[in-house]
Amino acid sequence: MGGMRLTFMGTAGARFMVMKQLTASGGLYLEEGNTRLAMDPGPGAVVQYAKRKVDLSRLSGILLSHRHLDHAGDVNVMIEGMTDGGFHPQGTLFCPGDALDTDPVVLEYLRGFPREVVRLQPCTRYRLGDISFSTSPRHVHGVETYGFTFGGEDGGLPTLGWVTDSKYYDGIAQDHRAEVMLIHTVLARSRPELPHLGLDDAERIVREAQPRLALITHFGMTVWRARPWEVAAELSQRTGVDVRAARDGMRLDL
Ligand SMILES: [Zn+2]
C-alpha cells in the first residue's frame, strides 16, 4: 500500500489541441494501493496507456468528469480493455447521467461489461477499492460536469483536487481545495461567452486555495501558444505558490 500516484496520459484540452494532437489527450491515470483508475480518457487514451505499459485488464474503474469528446472519446475501448472485451466483467464506470442518456457517449452494448455503472451526483463521496473521492457541486459547463477531490475522508485536507472544465464561479477554489491541485486551463484569458477557465481564473483559484503545488493542464491552443511552462513560472512568481505546467507522461507521487 502506497500513496497516490498520478500519471498524465495527456495534457491537451479542447478541440484544436486534440484534433492536431499537439499534446496527447489520454486524460489522467490514478493509482493508490491496489486500485487503478482511468480518468477522462480522451481520444488516443488507449494508445497512451499502451505506450506506458499499463495493462487495461487490471483497471479497477473509469471516471468521466463529463461527456465532451476530449474527456470521453476513448471511454468505450477503455471499457473493453478493462473487461477483456466483456469476457471478464469487472470494474466500475463512474459518469454523469447525461453520458448515458441523450446522445450517449457510452455505447449500450458494453454497458453490461463493468460490474457497476454509477451515475455521479453532486457533492457525494464514493469509494473504489483504496481510492476515495468526492464530487464538487455541478460545474458551469453546459453538459453535466463535476470536479473532484481525492482523499481527505477523515475530514482533513484532500490530497488531490481536480478542477475540471468549468466557467469560473464563486466557491470553485474552496470546492477543490487540496494539497495538490490540477486546474484545466483552456484559455489564455477567460471570456464571458465561453464556459472555460482562463489563466486569470487559475491565478484566482491558486491565490484563494493556496495549495502546496498547483499544476495547470488540459491546455487549449491559446495557452499552448503562450508556452505553459513559462506561464506557470510567472504564476508562481506572482502568487508565491509552486505552480507548474503538466507534461505528457509526467508522473507525480502524492
Ligand atoms: Zn468540456
Side-chain angles (χ1 to χ4, degrees):
M1 303 286 285
M4 285 180 205
R5 169 176 275 190
L6 179 72
T7 307
F8 289 85
M9 293 292 180
T11 55
R15 53 198 68 162
F16 299 106
M17 287 292 289
V18 171
M19 71 177 74
K20 291 173 190 291
Q21 289 289 294
L22 295 182
T23 60
S25 47
L28 301 167
Y29 177 50
L30 187 67
E31 301 164 86
E32 184 170 10
N34 289 313
T35 307
R36 291 166 286 272
L37 180 63
M39 310 197 292
D40 277 4
V46 70
V47 177
Q48 300 305 319
Y49 278 80
K51 197 166 143 184
R52 306 197 192 283
K53 303 201 165 23
V54 177
D55 179 356
L56 296 183
S57 71
R58 298 183 66 227
L59 283 178
S60 319
I62 300 167
L63 169 66
L64 300 186
S65 68
H66 66 294
R67 63 189 299 282
H68 281 156
L69 187 61
D70 50 333
H71 300 258
D74 267 11
V75 65
N76 293 298
V77 66
M78 295 294 282
I79 291 172
E80 290 223 322
M82 178 169 77
T83 61
D84 255 336
F87 286 105
H88 296 109
Q90 63 135 2
T92 305
L93 170 69
F94 298 91
C95 61
D98 72 354
L100 303 167
D101 302 330
T102 331
D103 191 15
V105 297
V106 181
L107 294 171
E108 286 187 0
Y109 86 86
L110 41 68
R111 286 189 195 176
F113 294 0
R115 192 158 289 155
E116 201 182 356
V117 176
V118 175
R119 288 166 182 254
L120 294 170
Q121 301 295 322
C123 307
T124 302
R125 180 168 288 283
Y126 298 91
R127 176 163 281 284
L128 175 71
D130 297 320
I131 295 178
S132 163
F133 67 91
S134 292
T135 49
S136 70
R138 185 174 166 161
H139 279 187
V140 184
H141 195 55
V143 303
E144 190 180 352
T145 305
Y146 300 104
F148 303 90
T149 54
F150 297 84
E153 59 267 47
D154 50 0
L157 187 64
T159 307
L160 179 67
W162 182 22
V163 187
T164 59
D165 290 8
S166 183
K167 192 177 179 59
Y168 185 89
Y169 64 89
D170 286 333
I172 192 170
Q174 202 55 37
D175 287 341
H176 304 82
R177 202 165 76 87
E179 280 178 47
V180 175
M181 291 174 71
L182 313 177
I183 305 174
H184 280 192
T185 46
V186 167
L187 304 167
R189 205 164 171 77
S190 59
R191 288 161 53 181
E193 74 281 15
L194 294 179
H196 278 291
L197 295 171
L199 290 165
D200 48 335
D201 296 321
E203 182 166 343
R204 283 161 87 181
I205 292 169
V206 163
R207 278 187 198 282
E208 193 182 330
Q210 293 287 320
R212 176 171 64 74
L213 170 66
L215 286 135
I216 53 170
T217 184
H218 203 64
F219 310 124
M221 192 63 101
T222 55
V223 177
W224 185 246
R225 289 206 182 110
R227 300 168 183 261
W229 52 96
E230 289 179 12
V231 164
E234 287 162 22
L235 282 175
S236 295
Q237 214 155 36
R238 280 209 299 276
T239 62
V241 173
D242 187 2
V243 182
R244 296 182 215 168
R247 287 179 284 105
D248 287 355
M250 184 190 250
R251 192 170 258 190
L252 283 179
D253 284 303
L254 303 166

